[in-house]
């Protein structure tokens, strides 16, 4: 029944026609419950030149993905007027396994997508706003669920060579194994980048999945393993560039960087009945990060010693074991003359972080310990949802979610040890009108939340001192509203328009000189998003995603009410061509608007406008050659900008300054792909 299909999308999108973007796009008419949700197919993603794996997420309309340090570190994300840092308020899953890391050494909700293999992505299902009962922590601004293929059409061997020591090889296939399929992939990677200090980023990445059946009626077991090491060129003070001390691609500390690993095992199971859909998944992972950073150079060292001796380098380190599960059941029925789908779900997660620490270092050698903690964090969530079709053109979706969290912190500074807990109930409601002439109207309302770092829920003293500090609330409520429209204006032209507002009881902000996120003041964001995909014929497609937002703190402060890093305007435009004989290609333009860097808006970042190009040639059905050109016009722009206080070697006083991480200059990569 159609309504059950709509309910199935709410849990995990139903099977859609998997056809190439040049021929047809995804159609969520009668399925979607908000104007701002959608699906990105593997064909659309394959047409996009991607500089870093995380940039595959820029196919989510309005989402900007950048980097402020070495490429082995998690990306920086921006959406709906939020500087999401490395993932706060945007939940991401791959194969049902959450990527966001709570109570992380570097930042709350840390989302490292460097283990993503874009060629394996079957679809990215995204939604925005706190309107969906099955979405919990970190999902107030949005959520994305990335599904890998269970089966490839053919085995794949691929080699990519580029400037600055770029080498990437990929081998993948899915042979028959008994009654199922065995998907495998192995990626080897190296890159030095354009930096004066070679990044020497090495990555070893693998996937092994055994599956039977389909996503909606079958099961799979998936193992993933990723290991990476790199030297980082962190953001640098603008005055160091202006004075000639370093150039834009130079470093003020040649020993910053990191190493990380992530190993996971997960299982998914689904069964479809005549009017029902049942799903379950379970996962366990082991991960770790050692991240050496230096954002202030000599500021702390000079204040403590009167000279610049060891510098301000620090290490953020953690080792984590985590596990979780989710299960849900949907049942279609008739209530009198009405079609209805009732859904219920249970989710749980536990993280053991042993340890999570902050250390003062020099050239990656530990000099002293600032703090070391052992953290256990648990959560259990129950949600229920009712979807009722009142008429052929009116349906409602009503949901309720309950979350319970428990934190235990064993700190090296005894005063900061302790336990905390919190619970939250969040209602959801959506009203959908249509379709009329391929058009639907959506009205959405809902509450959501994000969790704070467990260490902040028990802290009483500033680490390393006896200065008193306030604890933070474990769970922070958000509230959102949205009015959306989805329409196929002309045959082949799909368009969505959404006007939205989101309020948070506390904004999570990245603190540039500390290298972490902190709970801040209450905020309000609102804006408009317009998304378009126009498939003109079987060889030409155009897409355009435009977003505008307004973000302010809601309380009164002499500092001002602007939110640092809150982007106002973004645009992502693309042209994709195919079947021009053996030729194919794509051009993509991304605009990243200016942001306030300080609360009084007296310092603002500069906008950036980047263009990427792909040109390819198919020799036959098995082999192709593609050339990707990044930053086609060699624009001198910045990936990220911050405003904070730092002190360079040789300076006798600290200075507030703009700190930037430059966009990479024009670079070329050549890919040879062979399918067999």
């Amino acid at each position: 029944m159609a309504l059950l299909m709509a309910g199935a999308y709410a849990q995990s999108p139903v099977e859609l026609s998997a056809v190439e973007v040049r021929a047809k796009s995804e159609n969520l008419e009668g399925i979607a419950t908000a104007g701002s949700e959608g699906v990105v197919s593997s064909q659309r993603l394959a047409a996009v030149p991607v500089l870093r794996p995380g940039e595959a997420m820029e196919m989510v309309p309005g989402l900007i993905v950048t980097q402020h340090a070495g490429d082995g570190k998690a990306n920086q994300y921006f959406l709906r007027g939020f500087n999401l840092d490395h993932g706060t308020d945007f939940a991401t899953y791959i194969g049902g396994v959450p990527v966001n890391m709570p109570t992380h050494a570097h930042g709350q909700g840390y989302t490292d997508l460097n283990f993503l293999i874009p060629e394996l992505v079957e679809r990215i299902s995204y939604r925005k706003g706190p309107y969906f009962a099955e979405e919990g922590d970190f999902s107030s601004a949005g959520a994305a669920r990335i599904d890998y293929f269970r089966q490839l059409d053919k085995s794949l061997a691929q080699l990519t060579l580029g400037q600055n020591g770029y080498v990437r090889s990929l081998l993948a296939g899915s042979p028959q194994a008994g009654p199922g399929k065995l998907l495998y992939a192995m990626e080897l990677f190296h890159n030095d980048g354009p930096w004066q200090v070679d990044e020497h980023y090495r990555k070893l990445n693998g996937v092994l999945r055994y599956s039977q059946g389909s996503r909606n009626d079958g099961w799979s077991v998936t193992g993933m393993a990723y290991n990476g090491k790199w030297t980082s060129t962190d953001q640098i003070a603008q005055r160091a560039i202006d004075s000639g001390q370093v150039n834009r691609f130079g470093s003020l500390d040649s020993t910053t960087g990191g190493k990380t690993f992530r190993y996971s095992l997960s299982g998914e199971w689904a069964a479809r009945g005549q009017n029902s859909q049942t799903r379950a998944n379970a996962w366990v992972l082991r991960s770790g990060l050692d991240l050496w950073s230096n954002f202030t150079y000599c500021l702390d060292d000079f204040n403590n010693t009167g000279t610049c001796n060891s510098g301000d380098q620090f290490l953020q380190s953690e080792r984590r074991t985590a596990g979780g599960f989710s299960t849900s059941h949907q049942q279609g029925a008739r209530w009198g003359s009405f079609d209805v789908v009732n859904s219920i779900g249970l989710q749980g997660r536990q993280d053991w972080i042993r340890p999570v620490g902050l250390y003062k270092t020099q050239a990656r050698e530990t000099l002293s310990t600032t703090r070391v903690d052992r953290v256990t964090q648990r959560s259990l969530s129950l949600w229920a949802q009712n979807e009722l079709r009142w008429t052929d053109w009116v349906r409602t979706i009503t949901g309720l979610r309950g979350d319970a969290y428990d934190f235990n912190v064993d700190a090296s500074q005894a005063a900061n040890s302790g336990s905390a807990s919190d619970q939250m109930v969040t209602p959801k409601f959506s009203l959908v009108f249509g379709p009329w002439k391929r058009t639907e109207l959506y009205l959405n309302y809902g509450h959501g939340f994000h969790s704070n770092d467990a260490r902040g829920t028990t802290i009483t003293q500033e680490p390393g001192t006896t200065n008193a500090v306030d604890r933070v609330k474990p769970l922070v409520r958000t509230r959102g509203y949205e009015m959306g429209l989805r329409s196929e204006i002309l045959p082949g032209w799909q368009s969505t328009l959404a006007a939205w507002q989101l309020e948070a009881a506390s904004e999570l902000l990245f603190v540039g000189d500390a290298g972490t996120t902190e709970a801040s003041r209450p905020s309000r964001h609102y804006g408009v998003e317009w998304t378009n995909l126009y498939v003109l014929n079987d060889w030409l497609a155009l897409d355009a995603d435009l977003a505008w937002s307004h973000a302010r703190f809601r309380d009164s402060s002499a500092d001002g009410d602007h939110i640092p890093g809150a982007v106002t305007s973004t645009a992502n435009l693309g042209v994709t061509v195919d079947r021009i004989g053996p030729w194919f290609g794509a051009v993509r333009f991304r605009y990243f608007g200016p942001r306030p860097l300080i609360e009084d808006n007296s310092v603002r970042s500069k906008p950036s406008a980047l263009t990427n190009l792909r040109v390819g040639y198919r020799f036959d059905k098995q082999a192709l050659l593609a050339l990707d050109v990044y930053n086609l016009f060699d624009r001198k722009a910045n990936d990220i900008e911050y405003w904070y206080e730092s002190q360079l070697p040789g300076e006798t006083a600290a200075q507030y300054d703009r700190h930037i991480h430059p966009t990479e200059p024009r670079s070329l990569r050549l890919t040879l792909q062979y399918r067999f």
Side-chain angles (χ1 to χ4, degrees):
M1 60 193 304
L3 191 56
L4 181 60
M5 292 178 65
Y9 180 77
Q11 172 62 18
S12 182
V14 297
E15 300 284 357
L16 300 174
S17 298
V19 293
E20 296 184 5
V21 66
R22 62 176 180 257
K24 186 178 179 182
S25 59
E26 307 85 358
N27 186 353
L28 301 184
E29 179 185 301
I31 299 174
T33 58
S36 58
E37 66 178 308
V39 177
V40 178
S41 68
S42 60
Q43 290 81 12
R44 286 195 66 196
L45 182 60
V48 178
V50 174
L51 181 67
R52 307 179 182 99
E55 291 185 8
M57 295 290 284
E58 288 197 346
M59 295 303 288
V60 175
L63 183 62
I64 296 293
V65 181
T66 67
Q67 182 58 270
H68 78 98
D71 282 344
K73 186 178 178 181
N75 292 103
Q76 197 94 358
Y77 307 94
F78 296 82
L79 178 70
R80 290 196 161 185
F82 284 89
N83 176 358
L84 297 166
D85 185 36
H86 299 293
T88 63
D89 289 304
F90 192 86
T92 306
Y93 302 82
I94 296 182
V97 181
V99 184
N100 301 71
M101 296 295 175
T103 310
H104 190 269
H106 183 65
Q108 181 71 345
Y110 188 82
T111 304
D112 184 359
L113 287 172
N114 281 298
F115 69 96
L116 177 70
I117 301 178
E119 290 84 355
L120 297 188
V121 175
E122 182 180 15
R123 59 199 285 136
I124 301 175
S125 308
Y126 64 86
R127 49 180 41 144
K128 302 176 207 171
Y131 320 121
F132 311 94
E134 67 275 25
E135 303 292 356
D137 200 4
F138 303 119
S139 66
S140 291
R145 295 181 179 270
I146 301 172
D147 290 322
Y148 276 174
F149 285 105
R150 292 176 175 236
Q151 176 181 347
L152 301 177
D153 291 338
K154 294 182 179 180
S155 296
L156 168 68
Q158 183 171 293
L159 176 65
T160 303
L161 301 176
Q163 297 168 282
N164 303 312
Y166 185 96
V167 180
R168 178 179 182 253
S169 60
L170 175 66
L171 180 65
S174 56
Q176 190 76 30
K181 288 287 185 178
L182 184 65
L183 173 73
Y184 68 87
M186 177 63 70
E187 178 188 27
L188 300 176
F189 176 94
H190 176 272
N191 187 30
D192 288 330
W195 320 108
Q196 283 189 332
V197 177
D198 286 345
E199 191 169 51
H200 195 36
Y201 179 25
R202 295 93 73 200
K203 175 166 62 175
L204 178 63
N205 196 17
V207 175
L208 190 64
R209 163 179 280 182
Y210 182 78
S211 64
Q212 292 184 18
S214 67
R215 182 188 304 109
N216 293 319
D217 199 0
W219 60 272
S220 67
V221 177
T222 305
M224 300 184 189
Y226 160 66
N227 193 290
K229 299 179 181 179
W230 69 96
T231 299
S232 174
T233 295
D234 291 342
Q235 68 253 23
I236 55 177
Q238 184 66 50
R239 65 185 184 279
I241 300 173
D242 295 341
S243 68
Q245 183 174 347
V246 293
N247 71 20
R248 282 174 50 81
F249 303 102
S251 173
L252 292 169
D253 187 338
S254 61
T255 62
T256 55
K259 55 184 180 180
T260 188
F261 65 87
R262 184 187 188 277
Y263 311 121
S264 69
L265 180 66
S266 63
E268 294 181 285
W269 172 85
R272 169 171 280 179
Q274 183 177 359
N275 289 312
S276 66
Q277 176 75 69
T278 305
R279 299 180 184 277
N281 86 302
W283 56 272
V284 63
L285 68 82
R286 175 69 176 167
S287 67
L289 173 70
D290 293 319
L291 183 64
W292 289 270
S293 305
N294 188 345
F295 301 139
T296 55
Y297 323 120
C298 285
L299 176 65
D300 295 334
D301 192 25
F302 190 89
N303 288 339
N304 294 330
T305 66
T307 185
C308 188
N309 183 22
S310 59
D312 289 353
Q313 190 184 96
F314 59 91
L315 165 66
Q316 294 165 310
S317 178
E318 71 157 71
R319 296 295 181 271
R320 177 186 306 258
T321 302
F325 71 92
S326 68
T327 182
S328 67
H329 179 74
Q330 295 173 308
Q331 184 67 53
R334 295 278 295 181
W335 285 0
S337 60
F338 304 123
D339 284 336
V340 64
V341 174
N342 292 311
S343 307
I344 189 168
L346 183 68
Q347 301 165 345
R349 174 173 180 167
Q350 180 158 330
D351 290 70
W352 297 267
I353 314 167
R354 304 281 195 275
V356 53
L358 177 63
Y359 310 87
K360 178 174 174 54
T361 60
Q362 182 182 23
R364 300 198 183 188
E365 295 293 329
T366 300
L367 303 179
S368 61
T369 299
T370 304
R371 70 178 300 173
V372 177
D373 303 276
R374 295 166 60 87
V375 178
T376 302
Q377 177 171 328
R378 306 177 187 89
S379 66
L380 188 65
S381 310
L382 177 66
W383 62 269
Q385 180 174 283
N386 169 268
E387 184 164 358
L388 180 61
R389 186 176 293 276
W390 298 90
T391 70
D392 289 341
W393 54 273
V394 177
R395 55 190 168 101
T396 57
I397 302 95
T398 305
L400 191 67
R401 181 183 178 91
D403 289 89
Y405 276 67
D406 179 72
F407 307 91
N408 184 270
V409 179
D410 181 9
S412 55
Q413 192 166 338
N416 291 330
S417 297
S419 299
S421 62
D422 202 357
Q423 303 81 38
M424 186 168 289
V425 175
T426 50
K428 324 278 183 173
F429 179 75
S430 298
L431 177 60
V432 183
F433 298 97
W436 301 295
K437 296 183 179 180
R438 310 300 301 273
T439 300
E440 285 186 321
L441 175 67
Y442 310 88
L443 300 176
N444 305 99
Y445 171 81
H447 289 219
F449 72 97
H450 64 242
S451 63
N452 274 320
D453 191 305
R455 293 168 293 179
T457 68
T458 62
I459 194 171
T460 60
Q461 294 179 354
E462 182 182 348
T465 75
T466 58
N467 299 331
V469 295
D470 295 328
R471 294 178 175 179
V472 299
K473 187 174 176 60
L475 303 182
V476 176
R477 185 177 294 273
T478 59
R479 181 174 60 187
Y481 315 81
E482 184 171 309
M483 181 170 66
L485 180 72
R486 182 185 308 272
S487 180
E488 186 163 334
I489 302 171
L490 298 173
W493 180 8
Q494 295 181 5
S495 182
T496 65
L497 183 66
W500 57 271
Q501 178 173 298
L502 184 63
E503 299 174 350
S506 173
E507 183 99 358
L508 281 172
L509 290 183
F510 179 75
V511 182
D513 56 353
T516 189
T517 50
E518 292 183 1
S520 184
R521 298 154 55 189
S523 65
R524 177 181 292 114
H525 301 241
Y526 60 83
V528 179
E529 296 168 337
W530 187 29
T531 301
N532 300 272
L533 175 62
Y534 191 13
V535 182
L536 286 84
N537 49 48
D538 64 353
W539 62 270
L540 178 62
L542 311 176
D543 63 274
D545 301 329
L546 307 174
W548 172 88
S549 60
H550 180 277
R552 296 290 187 272
F553 288 118
R554 286 188 289 150
D555 61 355
S556 178
S557 171
D559 293 334
D561 64 355
H562 285 73
I563 301 175
V567 62
T568 300
S569 54
T570 66
N572 203 325
L573 314 177
V575 178
T576 304
V577 297
D578 204 348
R579 298 183 180 180
I580 309 297
W583 296 94
F584 63 93
V587 178
R588 298 207 66 84
F589 170 83
R590 188 198 75 176
Y591 174 78
F592 184 25
R595 293 88 62 200
L597 300 183
I598 191 170
E599 285 86 343
D600 65 6
N601 200 32
S602 60
V603 183
R604 295 179 60 82
S605 72
K606 300 176 182 178
S608 67
L610 302 176
T611 304
N612 296 334
L613 171 69
R614 168 170 292 176
V615 177
Y617 184 88
R618 290 188 181 89
F619 297 99
D620 50 37
K621 292 182 178 181
Q622 292 178 294
L624 65 81
L625 189 68
L627 174 67
D628 290 338
V629 184
Y630 302 95
N631 194 0
L632 176 65
F633 300 110
D634 203 21
R635 298 293 296 270
K636 188 177 179 181
N638 295 326
D639 262 350
I640 198 71
E641 296 183 22
Y642 300 112
W643 178 263
Y644 58 83
E645 192 177 30
S646 63
Q647 188 169 341
L648 300 175
E651 292 181 337
T652 58
Q655 297 184 40
Y656 278 92
D657 197 4
R658 191 184 302 265
H659 295 75
I660 65 102
H661 190 263
T663 298
E664 295 192 20
R666 181 170 51 228
S667 60
L668 283 69
R669 295 177 189 171
L670 189 65
T671 298
L672 177 62
Q673 183 184 100
Y674 184 77
R675 293 184 177 272
F676 57 96

